[in-house]
Amino acid sequence: MAENGRLGELDSLRGIASMSVVLYHSASLLGIMAALPWLYHSPLQILLAGHQAVIFFFLLSGFVLALPFAEGKSRGYGNFMLRRLIRLYPPYIVSLAFGLILRLLCYRVPINDLWSRPIGWVPILQHVFMIDQFHQQYFNPVVWSLVMEMRIALLFPFIIWFVMRANWMWSCLIGFVLSICGILLHVRYQESIDFFTNYYDTAHYVFMFVVGAIMAKHRHRLVDYFKSLRIVTRLVLGIVAFIVYTWGNNLGWDHWGLEGNLVSDWFTMLTSSFFIIAALASVRFKSVLHWRPIAFVGRVSYSLYLVHLVVLIALMNLFTNQSSILYPDDYEKYYISPYLLLVGTVGLSLALAALSYRYVELPSIRLGRYLMGGRVKRQNYQGEMSAK
C-alpha cells in the first residue's frame, strides 16, 4: 500500500502503460517501427502497445474509482464529481496551454495533420469544456482519452450504483450491449464523425469501466482465487495474457475493418484485468512494481501521458530538415538521428512530467482533499444538528 491508501502497484502498472504510449507514439511518428519491423515479432512489442495501454487506463480507472463505493466510503454524486474534476482538470488545462504555446513557437512542418488546423475560438472552447465531437489534433492529440474519462465520470456513480446491486453477469451483459451498440454506430456513421472523440466510442468504453467496477466489487474473491492457483498455472496464464495483450490487437482483426479493431479491445480488457489482479495478489510481481524507477514513472504517469506527444511534435518540428520535404531522395529527414529524438522525447517528457506532478498535480490533489474535508465536516455538522 502506498501513501494515503493508494495502491502503489497499480500506479506502477499505469506508469508502464504510459511509457508504452510514449514509446509507441515516438517510434511510429519517427519511423522507427517501420525501420525495425522485427519489433512486431519480439516480446519488446509490449513496450509499443500504445492503444492497448489506453484500454488498460479505462479498465484501471473503473477499478480504482469503484473502490470507495465497494468499501462503503462514497459521499454522493457532487463529492465524486468535485474530486474527479480537481484531479483531472488542472493538469489537463496546463497540458492544453503547453501544447498551444509550443505550437505557436515550434510549428514548421505538417506531421500527420498534427498542429496543422487553424487555431480559433471554437476549437479552444471545445477543448476547454470537453464538448462536442471535436478534432483533438489542434494542441495536444492525447486529450481524446481525457474527454472519454470525463464523459464516463458524469455517468459513473449511476453505473456503480447498478453494479453494486446487480449480479456481475447482468452488469457485464449491459456493458457488453453498450459496447456492441457503440461499435455498430461508429461503423455506421464513421464518415461523418470524429474518429476519437465521438459519442459512440464513449458507449464502447463504458464497458471497460463496468468491468473494472465489477473487479473492484469482487476483488477479494479474485485475489484469493489467484493465490489458490499453482505457480505453473499462474505462469501459463501470465504468458497467455502477455501474448494476447501484446499481439492480439494486430493479428487478424484488420480483415474485419474498424469493427474488428474495436472488438479486439475486449480481449485487451480481459488480459489487462489479469495484470491488475496479479499485481494485487502476487508478492513477486508486486515487489517488481514497487522498484523505485518503476514507482517513479507510476507517480508521474498522468502528467507523462499528457506532455509526451506535445514534446515529441515540438522536437520533430525543430529538428526536421525542411529540404527533405522538397527533395526526399537527397536529404536526411532529421538533422539528428531519430533514435536520439526518441531518447530526447522520453527524457524531456519524464522531466516535465516530474515538474507537472510536483507543481500541478500535487497542489490540485491537496486542494481536492481540503475541499472534500470541508464538505465532509459540513455534512457531519448538518447531520448532528438534524439529529438534535
Side-chain angles (χ1 to χ4, degrees):
M1 190 77 73
E3 293 182 4
N4 303 309
R6 292 183 63 86
L7 295 168
E9 54 270 23
L10 299 187
D11 285 338
S12 294
L13 282 179
R14 187 186 290 108
I16 294 171
S18 294
M19 184 56 70
S20 73
V21 176
V22 176
L23 295 175
Y24 167 74
H25 282 145
S26 301
S28 298
L29 291 178
L30 292 170
I32 293 173
M33 291 177 69
L36 302 174
W38 57 266
L39 285 174
Y40 284 109
H41 308 290
S42 76
L44 293 176
Q45 172 63 18
I46 195 171
L47 299 177
L48 304 171
H51 178 72
Q52 294 94 311
V54 176
I55 302 303
F56 175 83
F57 293 152
F58 293 150
L59 178 73
L60 186 58
S61 288
F63 181 87
V64 173
L65 292 177
L67 283 177
F69 295 89
E71 296 171 354
K73 298 178 181 178
S74 61
R75 298 193 180 109
Y77 185 85
N79 287 340
F80 173 82
M81 284 307 304
L82 177 63
R83 292 193 66 171
R84 203 68 187 138
L85 281 170
I86 292 175
R87 179 68 184 95
L88 294 180
Y89 206 68
Y92 169 81
I93 289 296
V94 170
S95 77
L96 285 182
F98 184 55
L100 174 60
I101 291 170
L102 284 189
R103 174 178 173 172
L104 294 175
L105 293 176
C106 303
Y107 180 72
R108 297 165 61 201
V109 295
I111 301 171
N112 288 17
D113 197 33
L114 302 174
W115 286 0
S116 61
R117 299 188 176 218
I119 299 173
W121 282 111
V122 171
I124 290 176
L125 292 176
Q126 286 175 326
H127 279 72
V128 168
F129 293 104
M130 298 184 180
I131 58 176
D132 204 4
Q133 303 179 95
F134 62 89
H135 204 288
Q136 78 285 353
Q137 297 186 356
Y138 285 89
F139 314 114
N140 187 356
V142 303
V143 300
W144 71 270
S145 65
L146 273 298
V147 173
M148 295 294 173
E149 287 260 4
M150 287 305 303
R151 285 177 185 166
I152 297 173
L154 293 171
L155 304 172
F156 193 77
F158 304 103
I159 294 172
I160 199 64
W161 180 89
F162 181 81
V163 169
M164 292 299 159
R165 286 161 178 78
N167 181 281
W168 71 268
M169 289 186 289
W170 279 109
S171 301
C172 198
L173 178 61
I174 290 176
F176 181 65
V177 170
L178 282 172
S179 177
I180 290 177
C181 292
I183 291 172
L184 293 177
L185 289 169
H186 188 166
V187 172
R188 173 66 177 81
Y189 297 106
Q190 60 183 299
E191 300 300 328
S192 58
I193 59 174
D194 181 81
F195 186 82
F196 289 100
T197 61
N198 64 84
Y199 296 118
Y200 309 130
D201 277 2
T202 305
H204 170 55
Y205 293 132
V206 164
F207 188 25
M208 289 72 189
F209 280 77
V210 169
V211 172
I214 294 171
M215 290 172 58
K217 179 182 178 181
H218 299 285
R219 66 196 182 284
H220 296 304
R221 290 184 190 176
L222 292 169
V223 168
D224 290 342
Y225 178 74
F226 184 94
K227 289 180 178 179
S228 70
L229 298 175
R230 294 186 302 170
I231 297 296
V232 174
T233 305
R234 296 185 199 178
L235 183 61
V236 170
L237 289 175
I239 293 172
V240 172
F242 179 89
I243 291 172
V244 174
Y245 180 91
T246 305
W247 291 287
N249 200 53
N250 299 322
L251 300 178
W253 295 108
D254 290 340
H255 297 297
W256 295 85
L258 174 61
E259 57 266 49
N261 289 325
L262 291 171
V263 165
S264 71
D265 292 341
W266 300 342
F267 299 93
T268 300
M269 175 187 67
L270 290 174
T271 54
S272 298
S273 66
F274 174 86
F275 296 135
I276 292 174
I277 298 303
L280 295 174
S282 172
V283 175
R284 293 184 180 89
F285 191 26
K286 189 179 297 187
S287 65
V288 171
L289 293 174
H290 282 277
W291 186 42
R292 290 185 65 181
I294 296 178
F296 165 75
V297 177
R299 283 196 301 274
V300 304
S301 58
Y302 180 40
S303 289
L304 177 64
Y305 179 76
L306 286 174
V307 304
H308 79 275
L309 193 49
V310 173
V311 171
L312 174 62
I313 300 169
L315 290 178
M316 290 179 69
N317 272 273
L318 291 174
F319 289 98
T320 293
N321 186 348
Q322 289 184 299
S323 298
S324 67
I325 300 173
L326 299 175
Y327 308 103
D329 296 331
D330 300 326
Y331 292 90
E332 293 291 335
K333 187 170 183 179
Y334 303 107
Y335 291 118
I336 63 175
S337 167
Y339 300 98
L340 288 177
L341 285 176
L342 185 150
V343 172
T345 297
V346 172
L348 188 55
S349 296
L350 282 171
L352 291 172
L355 291 173
S356 175
Y357 176 75
R358 180 171 182 178
Y359 295 108
V360 181
E361 286 193 64
L362 284 180
S364 64
I365 291 171
R366 295 189 190 106
L367 175 62
R369 289 176 184 153
Y370 172 78
L371 293 176
M372 288 298 297
R375 290 173 69 94
V376 171
K377 289 177 182 177
R378 287 195 296 272
Q379 289 173 358
N380 291 340
Y381 175 76
Q382 291 169 357
E384 291 171 0
M385 292 300 293
S386 62
K388 293 177 181 178

